């Protein structure tokens, strides 16, 4: 094992929560409402099935290969050469995903707060911070999540100040156009739920591996409840106009006013966005580094951390010249790309492993 550090299942669960919702809070309400309309609050519940499957696949594969990540056990399942190819695919996807997630973070920060700051500087600073955390190992990542995840969650409670401005009638009529638009609106949330499979890179590091599935499920439940809560708040506040907002949650924060004294709470959202995305970027960054290290069978991954960071910065700008292109990518490409890499391929590996085990057991019985 390249990673000698150990973390608890609770720490892993705390890492997974912002890993899924770091970008999800801001973009998913808009992406879902374009298809589901006022039924967008149902999309996170339906998408939870994908999270269940992702956690199941990660844990089942870990049971068969307890000391390995997907890059390592894929060689045992499909052979050395196909396994190496899968390792390269995972590395390329993860380094690009790290760059794009950082770009999403930077676009929000620059477009709403740091208007005159070069976006490349915002991206580079976050990558450097994440690189330091990744070089520190899984224990540093876990401790960062323990500190930052509560900070990420607390601003959500500020949305309760909007209760007096909410129109509960915006939820009606429910399923007015049937279930098909809701299923189309579920495409993006279910892709984000697929990111729970990244726990495959942390399960070998658990002090209590038997609790990995339990705390992965707890994190999934927390994600579904949080996303449903945010979807409902923004729906009750903005109504049909939600699909026209780039960041509905930011708009909601700007509506908060208590006795004309407590106002301008966007800073709370900014703090939430920074710390949540730091954890998410660091988790993807860590998975990227391990993918390359395992594929190349390196003895230490720390020497490649900063070079991969440079690649991530390049990927954050490559092919995405402006914010509309980023939004188009998130709408049309990301749902299929994420689901394929983090859900479909692991399930195929699990099925191949099960078929081979069944064939082997059948052969042993026939010999007897």
């Amino acid at each position: 094992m390249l990673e000698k550090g150990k973390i608890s299942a609770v720490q892993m669960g705390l890492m997974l929560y912002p890993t899924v919702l770091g970008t999800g809070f801001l973009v998913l309400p808009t992406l879902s409402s374009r298809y589901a309309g006022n039924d967008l609050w149902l999309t996170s519940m339906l998408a939870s099935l994908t999270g269940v499957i992702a956690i199941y696949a990660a844990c089942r594969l870990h049971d068969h290969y307890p000391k390995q990540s997907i890059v390592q056990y894929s060689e045992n399942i499909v052979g050395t050469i196909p396994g190496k190819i899968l390792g390269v695919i995972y590395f390329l996807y993860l380094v690009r995903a790290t760059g794009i997630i950082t770009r999403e973070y930077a676009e929000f920060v620059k477009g709403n707060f740091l208007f005159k700051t070069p976006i490349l500087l915002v991206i580079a600073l976050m990558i450097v911070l994440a690189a330091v955390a990744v070089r520190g190992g899984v224990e540093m990542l876990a401790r960062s999540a323990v500190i930052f995840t509560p900070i990420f969650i607390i601003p959500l409670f500020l949305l309760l100040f909007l209760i007096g401005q909410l129109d509960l009638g915006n939820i009606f009529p429910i399923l007015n156009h049937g279930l098909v638009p809701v299923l189309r609106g579920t495409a993006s949330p279910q892709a984000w739920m697929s990111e729970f499979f990244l726990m495959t890179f942390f399960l070998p590091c658990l002090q209590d591996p038997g609790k990995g599935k339990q705390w992965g499920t707890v994190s999934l439940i927390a994600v579904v409840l949080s996303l449903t809560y945010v979807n409902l708040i923004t729906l009750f506040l903005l109504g049909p106009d939600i699909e026209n907002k780039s960041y509905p949650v930011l708009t909601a924060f700007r509506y908060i006013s208590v006795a004309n004294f407590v106002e301008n709470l966007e800073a709370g959202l900014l703090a939430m966005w920074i710390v949540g995305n730091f954890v998410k970027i660091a988790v993807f960054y860590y998975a990227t580094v391990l993918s390359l290290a395992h594929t190349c069978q390196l003895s230490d991954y720390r020497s490649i951390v900063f070079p991969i960071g440079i690649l991530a910065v390049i990927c954050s700008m490559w092919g995405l010249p402006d914010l509309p292109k980023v939004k188009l990518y998130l709408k049309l490409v990301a749902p299929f790309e994420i689901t394929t890499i983090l859900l479909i391929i692991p399930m195929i590996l699990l099925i191949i492993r099960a078929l081979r085990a069944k064939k082997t057991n059948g052969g042993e019985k026939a010999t007897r």
Side-chain angles (χ1 to χ4, degrees):
M1 289 180 61
L2 284 174
E3 181 60 69
K4 305 301 181 183
K6 290 293 181 181
I7 63 174
S8 69
V10 177
Q11 290 174 319
M12 184 193 71
L14 288 172
M15 277 194 288
L16 292 174
Y17 181 85
T19 296
V20 176
L21 289 182
T23 54
F25 276 139
L26 293 184
V27 300
L28 288 181
T30 300
L31 294 175
S32 297
S33 65
R34 286 174 180 169
Y35 299 105
N38 63 304
D39 293 319
L40 82 156
W41 59 280
L42 292 170
T43 59
S44 56
M45 299 180 188
L46 294 176
S48 64
L49 177 61
T50 299
V52 171
I53 296 172
I55 292 171
Y56 171 79
C59 292
R60 285 295 294 163
L61 288 167
H62 173 72
D63 290 340
H64 296 305
Y65 308 98
K67 300 294 184 181
Q68 300 177 358
S69 70
I70 186 171
V71 177
Q72 295 169 296
Y73 55 65
S74 61
E75 295 185 28
N76 296 326
I77 295 174
V78 297
T80 302
I81 295 178
K84 292 291 186 186
I85 293 173
L86 275 179
V88 173
I89 290 173
Y90 270 90
F91 166 70
L92 293 176
Y93 163 73
L94 288 168
V95 71
R96 176 164 169 77
T98 303
I100 291 174
I101 293 166
T102 311
R103 175 67 177 276
E104 290 178 66
Y105 152 82
E107 287 285 359
F108 175 77
V109 172
K110 174 179 171 56
N112 296 281
F113 298 97
L114 305 179
F115 305 104
K116 297 183 179 181
T117 304
I119 192 168
L120 192 59
L121 179 61
V122 179
I123 291 171
L125 288 176
M126 177 56 80
I127 289 293
V128 169
L129 289 175
V132 172
V134 171
R135 275 186 61 88
V138 69
E139 291 183 0
M140 180 176 287
L141 290 180
R143 289 168 185 162
S144 299
V146 170
I147 296 171
F148 292 141
T149 299
I151 299 174
F152 179 65
I153 296 172
I154 288 173
L156 293 180
F157 293 101
L158 297 176
L159 293 174
L160 294 175
F161 286 124
L162 293 169
I163 287 179
Q165 304 177 55
L166 303 182
D167 181 2
L168 302 187
N170 288 335
I171 200 174
F172 300 108
I174 298 175
L175 295 177
N176 185 45
H177 300 289
L179 192 59
V180 174
V182 178
L183 294 176
R184 293 180 67 188
T186 304
S188 294
Q190 66 85 25
W192 263 249
M193 297 294 179
S194 301
E195 294 175 353
F196 274 101
F197 184 76
L198 290 175
M199 65 192 293
T200 186
F201 292 97
F202 299 101
L203 288 172
C205 305
L206 294 187
Q207 298 168 339
D208 42 359
K211 296 182 179 179
K213 184 177 181 181
Q214 173 188 341
W215 281 100
T217 304
V218 169
S219 185
L220 171 62
I221 293 171
V223 165
V224 172
L225 292 177
S226 300
L227 190 55
T228 303
Y229 162 76
V230 168
N231 285 342
L232 285 172
I233 291 289
T234 52
L235 174 63
F236 291 152
L237 180 68
L238 302 174
D241 194 43
I242 187 173
E243 65 179 274
N244 298 319
K245 305 295 184 182
S246 296
Y247 304 110
V249 177
L250 176 62
T251 304
F253 268 83
R254 287 174 173 165
Y255 272 86
I256 296 175
S257 177
V258 181
N260 293 322
F261 178 72
V262 179
E263 295 180 329
N264 301 319
L265 296 181
E266 298 95 323
L269 182 62
L270 177 61
M272 167 185 170
W273 183 242
I274 291 175
V275 298
N277 276 273
F278 168 77
V279 175
K280 178 164 190 166
I281 292 165
V283 166
F284 269 82
Y285 198 156
Y286 180 77
T288 304
V289 170
L290 283 192
S291 295
L292 182 60
H294 287 153
T295 301
C296 299
Q297 296 182 338
L298 302 179
S299 58
D300 183 21
Y301 65 82
R302 289 170 177 80
S303 60
I304 62 173
V305 170
F306 284 106
I308 288 177
I310 296 173
L311 285 177
V313 172
I314 294 172
C315 289
S316 70
M317 305 299 293
W318 186 27
L320 300 170
D322 49 37
L323 183 58
K325 288 293 191 300
V326 175
K327 291 181 178 179
L328 195 63
Y329 168 83
L330 294 176
K331 179 183 177 182
L332 300 179
V333 179
F336 302 99
E337 187 177 80
I338 300 171
T339 305
T340 300
I341 298 295
L342 297 181
L343 188 71
I344 294 177
I345 290 178
M347 287 303 299
I348 291 174
L349 290 175
L350 188 58
I351 291 170
I352 293 173
R353 199 269 168 198
L355 292 175
R356 287 191 170 181
K358 184 177 181 180
K359 183 178 179 180
T360 301
N361 292 335
E364 290 177 354
K365 291 180 180 178
T367 302
R368 292 175 184 173

